[in-house]
Amino acid sequence: MNAAPKISGVVSAIVLPLINLVVALLLSGFVVWLIGEDPVAALGFLIEGAFGYEEAIGYTFYYATNFIFTGLAVSVAFHAGHFNIGGEGQAMLGGLGLTLAVFWLGDVSPLLAIIGAIVGAALFGAGWAYIPAVLQAKRGSHIVITTIMFNFIASALLAYLLVGPLQRPGGQMPESSDYPDGIALTKADELLELVGISFEQSPLNVSFLIALFAAFAVWFLLRRTRFGYEMRVVGQNAEAAKYAGISVPKVTVIALMLSGALAGMMGLNELLGEQLRLIGNFTLGYGFVGIAVAFMGRNHPFGIVLAAILFGAIYQGGAELGFEMSKITRDMSVVIQGLVILFAGAMPHLFKRPIDALSARFKTRGNV
Amino acid sequence: MKPAIETREISKRFGAVQANDQISLVVDKGSVHGIVGENGAGKSTLLKMLFGFYTPNSGDILVDGEHCRFSNPTDAMSAGIAMVHQHFMLVEPFTVLENIILGAEGAGLLKRACAEASVKIKKLEEEFGFNLPLDTPVSHLSVGERQRVEILKALYRGAETLILDEPTAVLTPQECDQLFALINVLKSQGKTVLFVTHKLHEIIAVTDAVTVIRGGKVITRMATSETTPDQLAEAMVGAKITRAVEAEDRGGAAQARLRLTNVCALSDMGHAALDSISFELYDGEVLGVAGVAGNGQTELLEVLSGMRRVTDGEVTISGKVTNTSDHMYDPIMLRDMGLAHIAEDRLKTGVVSSMTGRENAVLGYQRTNDFSKGGLLKLNAIADAADTYYETQDVRPRDPDLPLEALSGGNQQKLVIAREIARDPEIMVIGQPTRGVDIGAVTKIHDQIIALRNQGKALLVVSADLDELMVVSDRIAVMCDGKLAGIVPVDQADERTLGLMMAGDASTAEQQTQASV
């Protein structure tokens, strides 16, 4: 009926990202070949390093947890029509909120401290998104500019606190004291032991399940609640939102705060799961990678979980690759990540036209 | 002498819409030729074919007696035809000089190109009496000056025929006079000007000959000296169409459902868009609002539907004051009061085209108890409602899961109408009920409007299409320049007078207001 045939949802959601991934890997292989290593063997090490044994799987999913949180954060803002690239800063502030809650409630009760930590992480992350959100909604200051500025401010604030009031007494590093004993999220191996499965030790912890729950909650919010509906209307057509009686500024602020809360919860995995203290710049760029994860996952919570696992695998497998092949340094795995981000994250529609043309040709043949 | 431009029975069709139907036009060389017609009459399509933006489905275009086929505007330009668009195509931060040479720089280095060009431009300026500051950024210029930049740009490229598309729509009266003076200079220097407008006095003021277009067809071609505004208005709006559905008695004078008292409002740009508008709308009647686009109709719809705050005066709906400079009922409160709003610009305002039919079926009603409870959407109820809407209005394709952009304009509009009448509103505010709707669906929409009126609803219909208003309205209000030029009962309405009122002929407007009082 339409002149231009539309590609089906399946093709767009699965085939396109896969093609992007394959192209990124081919290019990476070419770079590996250029520096004189065997690309096929490198790919083998990468996969082995990411999924080959229990500890590797643990690490892969541990990294994936960070990416789920930050990817969801980007996507929630995106559904409301905004590009929140302040996940990094919101995660830092979330870590701060989490740490303050732990020190405040740590002596009262461990359970209370954990709950406080979750709430603190979300609240501080949301709070850090609130100011750019209000500036955007009420004053029209562009959120991309303000959130990236807030990343710098957050980084400076954390640096100040960690060499000042929050620094470990007598310590030299920019980090806080250790969290009180027993205040940590349960590790995966401990959890699995409870049901009688033995699993090697790894940093993977309960926050992976929290992240999965968050993904479900985001899906539920977007598809099942009135607010999610109104948020999507605002994101797709602000003028129609006005027509429907939806307050665009209000929805914008709330959506961006939800986004900040999700980014802030990244600290649960990194700090309360593994480091057990607040350290400066613990976010390590995960907030930015969240943008690529959200794009590759098509801003769908389920897609984001898959994309996050892929990125986790590249992080973990890439690190292993460096150990196995002498010529491949840590920078090399950064190059591979970069290529995947470039193709899958930044240019998700690169191969849309050729695929469209191809599927159109198949369809016409089918008709003949 | 061969005509500068001649078209022989050119036609252009878009889907089901025949935008131009065998248009034959002769524009004499060195003359100013006017083209008049209402919005949607097919003027823009004709122009776009003349400067190569569209290619005709059939018919020929001749320039200086030679057959031409334009596949893009560059082809038309090289044949000496240039277009001055209603919305200027200028790069604001660039200087006048840079804008004029943009795309025709002529030399690799900008400095040399500018030097060469400015000599040529100075000569043109002398010849045609321009006085533009070549080194000033365009953003510093007034609207009238920008238009002159566009004209100079066309001349610089060697245009022999200039097409001016509603050039006065954006100008102040003084700037209009300057433009007319310039047009006369152009003519005296042997250029041909094609002047498109719907303001009749302008046609009388500057043109030598005029062609009237209505419904995609040429109605008449006359020498301007042999015609009058009255004749043109009649040709432009056409003959009266008899009502499809007979009016029923209102049954006693009711209280006004809607009352506007001295309503003033600003446009988005901060200009006065509504200037002391007062009228009443009763149950069981359709009040049509006519006017040339951009004379306050958009703002009127927004003021009524809670999307724009008035700056003075008040709006009263069902006895409640809903919009004053202090407070405004929001669209949700108004819907609860029984006001339904069919937005004038469907795609921009009335629907979310990337969302599914189902999601669009509840837009604006998402907070009612029917469709959500405790913050959760009632998905089953929404699906049922969408199915019902698709069924009752015969929306095709019958698949509410498709995004709305996959539907034709007419089918989108059917869904919108179904959504807005579903909750049995007391009063409906309708903008452009059949814009972008395929011909087949138009009659059905008109029938529905009249049926709602016969059920005792109060309806306000804004339309750019006078024929449409003649079919559906009981009374027709004419807006001009943010003011109410008058309200005329439809059985006394005379297309010619309405056309003159729309065109801002004050004396006629006064007569009509007195007649209707």
Side-chain angles (χ1 to χ4, degrees):
Chain A
M1 196 180 71
N2 283 326
K6 294 255 161 76
I7 52 172
S8 71
V10 181
V11 172
S12 125
I14 294 171
V15 177
L16 278 180
L18 274 181
I19 291 177
N20 283 320
L21 181 62
V22 168
V23 172
L25 288 178
L26 282 177
L27 257 180
S28 309
F30 178 67
V31 177
V32 170
W33 174 78
L34 267 188
I35 61 168
E37 293 278 8
D38 177 3
V40 179
L43 184 64
F45 284 129
L46 188 103
I47 294 173
E48 171 74 16
F51 297 109
Y53 46 100
E54 286 175 1
E55 192 194 358
I57 296 173
Y59 267 99
T60 294
F61 281 85
Y62 165 69
Y63 291 128
T65 307
N66 290 337
F67 297 138
I68 295 175
F69 281 124
T70 54
L72 288 174
V74 172
S75 82
V76 165
F78 199 80
H79 279 289
H82 288 291
F83 199 26
N84 173 18
I85 58 173
E88 194 78 0
Q90 289 142 16
M92 286 184 206
L93 262 288
L96 177 64
L98 176 156
T99 304
L100 292 177
V102 166
F103 285 140
W104 178 43
L105 296 167
D107 298 333
V108 185
S109 121
L111 182 66
L112 214 58
I114 299 270
I115 294 170
I118 297 173
V119 174
L123 271 186
F124 271 56
W128 201 242
Y130 174 75
I131 305 167
V134 168
L135 288 174
Q136 169 76 57
K138 303 271 156 90
R139 289 274 171 266
S141 315
H142 205 290
I143 192 105
V144 169
I145 309 292
T146 47
T147 50
I148 203 156
M149 293 301 175
F150 267 62
N151 286 343
F152 290 113
I153 301 174
S155 173
L157 179 69
L158 224 60
Y160 161 73
L161 290 173
L162 287 177
V163 296
L166 280 180
Q167 193 173 30
R168 182 197 303 273
Q172 296 295 317
M173 305 285 285
E175 57 183 39
S176 73
S177 309
D178 288 342
Y179 296 158
D181 275 348
I183 297 185
L185 290 173
T186 315
K187 286 276 164 62
D189 48 301
E190 297 163 1
L191 206 64
L192 286 171
E193 212 176 272
L194 291 180
V195 287
I197 303 169
S198 81
F199 192 80
E200 276 177 49
Q201 267 198 358
S202 76
L204 182 63
N205 59 74
V206 153
S207 53
F208 179 69
L209 297 179
I210 301 178
L212 289 183
F213 177 76
F216 171 77
V218 167
W219 172 84
F220 188 83
L221 173 83
L222 290 172
R223 294 288 150 186
R224 289 287 184 271
T225 69
R226 194 178 70 201
F227 180 76
Y229 172 81
E230 294 191 345
M231 207 173 98
R232 287 185 295 125
V233 172
V234 168
Q236 310 265 1
N237 185 344
E239 194 64 23
K242 230 175 105 185
Y243 165 83
I246 300 168
S247 162
V248 177
K250 195 171 135 193
V251 169
T252 301
V253 170
I254 296 177
L256 285 168
M257 286 177 74
L258 284 174
S259 168
L262 284 162
M265 286 170 75
M266 198 200 95
L268 293 179
N269 185 45
E270 198 64 22
L271 301 177
L272 206 57
E274 175 65 8
Q275 305 288 355
L276 301 181
R277 65 193 190 283
L278 180 62
I279 53 178
N281 292 331
F282 71 91
T283 50
L284 290 173
Y286 296 126
F288 291 120
V289 178
I291 299 168
V293 170
F295 272 68
M296 190 168 184
R298 293 314 187 79
N299 283 302
H300 189 289
F302 184 62
I304 287 170
V305 170
L306 290 184
I309 292 170
L310 171 73
F311 274 80
I314 293 172
Y315 259 60
Q316 167 57 17
E320 290 295 302
L321 187 57
F323 291 127
E324 299 291 339
M325 290 184 150
S326 57
K327 284 183 184 164
I328 295 184
T329 58
R330 212 183 69 84
D331 298 320
M332 208 35 231
S333 70
V334 175
V335 169
I336 298 176
Q337 287 161 25
L339 285 168
V340 172
I341 292 174
L342 184 67
F343 279 92
M347 308 189 292
H349 296 292
L350 187 64
F351 297 103
K352 189 167 182 297
R353 276 166 178 274
I355 296 287
D356 274 350
L358 209 65
S359 70
R361 265 176 68 184
F362 274 117
K363 265 179 201 159
T364 39
R365 262 190 216 161
N367 289 345
V368 169
Chain B
M1 197 163 35
K2 301 243 170 66
I5 296 180
E6 184 179 355
T7 71
R8 290 185 185 157
E9 302 190 338
I10 57 172
S11 299
K12 182 76 185 172
R13 162 184 287 279
F14 299 101
V17 181
Q18 185 79 46
N20 273 189
D21 189 2
Q22 302 194 343
I23 297 236
S24 293
L25 176 78
V26 177
V27 181
D28 294 327
K29 206 166 179 57
S31 74
V32 179
H33 192 100
I35 294 182
V36 282
E38 289 186 291
N39 291 317
K43 290 174 301 192
S44 298
T45 308
L46 175 62
L47 297 189
K48 284 178 178 165
M49 288 193 287
L50 291 182
F51 83 96
F53 196 80
Y54 295 151
T55 350
N57 295 130
S58 61
D60 296 311
I61 298 176
L62 288 82
V63 176
D64 296 328
E66 285 179 32
H67 283 266
C68 288
R69 273 197 77 79
F70 303 143
S71 45
N72 55 53
T74 319
D75 289 354
M77 192 65 243
S78 55
I81 299 176
M83 172 93 166
V84 174
H85 293 268
Q86 199 175 350
H87 304 283
F88 305 140
M89 308 284 170
L90 297 172
V91 186
E92 294 206 356
F94 281 21
T95 64
V96 172
L97 180 66
E98 286 167 337
N99 266 290
I100 290 174
I101 64 171
L102 184 67
E105 291 86 354
L109 288 173
L110 194 59
K111 201 173 170 191
R112 229 185 100 205
C114 285
E116 281 171 13
S118 64
V119 175
K120 196 175 157 193
I121 293 170
K122 288 264 161 58
K123 213 175 133 221
L124 282 172
E125 284 211 283
E126 252 168 57
E127 195 178 341
F128 294 98
F130 284 87
N131 188 17
L132 287 166
L134 291 186
D135 295 323
T136 309
V138 162
S139 54
H140 294 186
L141 301 186
S142 71
V143 176
E145 286 173 319
R146 291 180 197 202
Q147 190 171 56
R148 297 165 89 82
V149 174
E150 284 277 21
I151 294 173
L152 187 54
K153 190 166 101 183
L155 294 172
Y156 177 75
R157 278 148 212 233
E160 285 303 316
T161 302
L162 286 125
I163 304 174
L164 308 182
D165 184 13
E166 310 216 352
T168 56
V170 288
L171 300 183
T172 64
Q174 291 77 9
E175 286 173 332
C176 284
D177 291 343
Q178 284 174 9
L179 174 69
F180 295 162
L182 175 59
I183 289 175
N184 281 325
V185 175
L186 290 170
K187 189 170 93 171
S188 69
Q189 299 286 338
K191 305 285 181 192
T192 309
V193 177
L194 197 56
F195 186 92
V196 183
T197 186
H198 40 230
K199 296 182 185 160
L200 304 176
H201 64 94
E202 294 175 352
I203 290 292
I204 303 294
V206 292
T207 64
D208 300 310
V210 54
T211 300
V212 182
I213 295 180
R214 171 168 26 104
K217 292 188 173 126
V218 171
I219 298 304
T220 176
R221 182 189 193 275
M222 290 176 275
T224 310
S225 52
E226 291 164 14
T227 185
T228 61
D230 281 12
Q231 262 181 316
L232 287 175
E234 192 172 333
M236 195 168 104
V237 295
K240 189 168 169 180
I241 293 167
T242 46
R243 293 176 64 95
V245 176
E246 269 309 302
E248 285 172 20
D249 276 342
R250 258 209 299 280
Q255 195 196 356
R257 178 61 67 183
L258 168 71
R259 174 179 288 124
L260 275 76
T261 323
N262 298 322
V263 164
C264 300
L266 299 178
S267 70
D268 283 337
M269 307 294 289
H271 303 307
L274 295 180
D275 185 357
S276 205
I277 300 266
S278 301
F279 64 80
E280 287 171 352
L281 170 68
Y282 293 92
D283 284 349
E285 80 161 345
V286 177
L287 177 66
V289 178
V292 173
N295 275 282
Q297 300 95 312
T298 302
E299 287 80 5
L300 176 66
L301 287 171
E302 291 178 347
V303 156
L304 297 180
S305 60
M307 294 175 70
R308 183 178 298 273
R309 175 91 51 106
V310 302
T311 51
D312 199 13
E314 59 183 42
V315 178
T316 311
I317 296 173
S318 306
K320 290 193 183 118
V321 178
T322 61
N323 196 341
T324 69
S325 56
D326 294 334
H327 76 278
M328 179 176 77
Y329 280 34
D330 70 28
I332 293 199
M333 294 158 85
L334 288 169
R335 285 195 180 91
D336 284 345
M337 280 174 58
L339 177 132
H341 175 203
I342 294 177
E344 165 184 56
D345 189 335
R346 186 171 50 244
L347 290 176
K348 190 169 152 248
T349 312
V351 300
V352 185
S353 57
S354 54
M355 289 170 93
T356 64
R358 203 168 279 171
E359 289 171 313
N360 274 288
V362 295
L363 185 70
Y365 300 94
Q366 72 276 7
R367 301 216 188 143
T368 58
N369 291 331
D370 294 352
F371 298 134
S372 69
K373 191 181 175 191
L376 298 183
L377 295 173
K378 292 183 176 172
L379 291 182
N380 289 335
I382 292 172
D384 289 348
D387 288 344
T388 315
Y389 297 170
Y390 272 63
E391 197 66 42
T392 52
Q393 292 286 334
D394 191 24
V395 180
R396 291 175 199 205
R398 192 72 50 91
D399 179 2
D401 280 329
L402 283 179
L404 217 62
E405 59 205 357
L407 272 60
S408 71
N411 281 298
Q412 292 175 358
Q413 188 74 335
K414 287 183 198 165
L415 177 60
V416 171
I417 292 173
R419 176 181 80 199
E420 297 303 326
I421 62 177
R423 290 172 62 83
D424 198 23
E426 299 294 336
I427 168 168
M428 293 190 75
V429 175
I430 304 172
Q432 314 295 355
T434 57
R435 176 180 283 174
V437 168
D438 4 300
I439 290 168
V442 169
T443 322
K444 195 174 173 216
I445 291 175
H446 289 167
D447 289 348
Q448 284 188 313
I449 289 174
I450 293 163
L452 286 162
R453 166 200 176 279
N454 290 345
Q455 286 166 30
K457 315 288 185 204
L459 296 103
L460 181 131
V461 179
V462 170
S463 176
D465 181 350
L466 213 47
D467 290 344
E468 172 165 276
L469 291 179
M470 297 295 278
V471 173
V472 299
S473 312
D474 293 290
R475 294 185 294 153
I476 297 180
V478 181
M479 288 189 71
C480 181
D481 199 20
K483 295 187 186 70
L484 203 57
I487 300 183
V488 191
V490 79
D491 45 8
Q492 294 164 30
D494 164 350
E495 310 73 25
R496 208 186 322 161
T497 329
L498 287 176
L500 284 171
M501 287 165 81
M502 283 162 64
D505 191 321
S507 60
T508 323
E510 248 165 54
Q511 279 172 16
Q512 278 300 334
T513 324
Q514 280 162 6
S516 65
V517 164

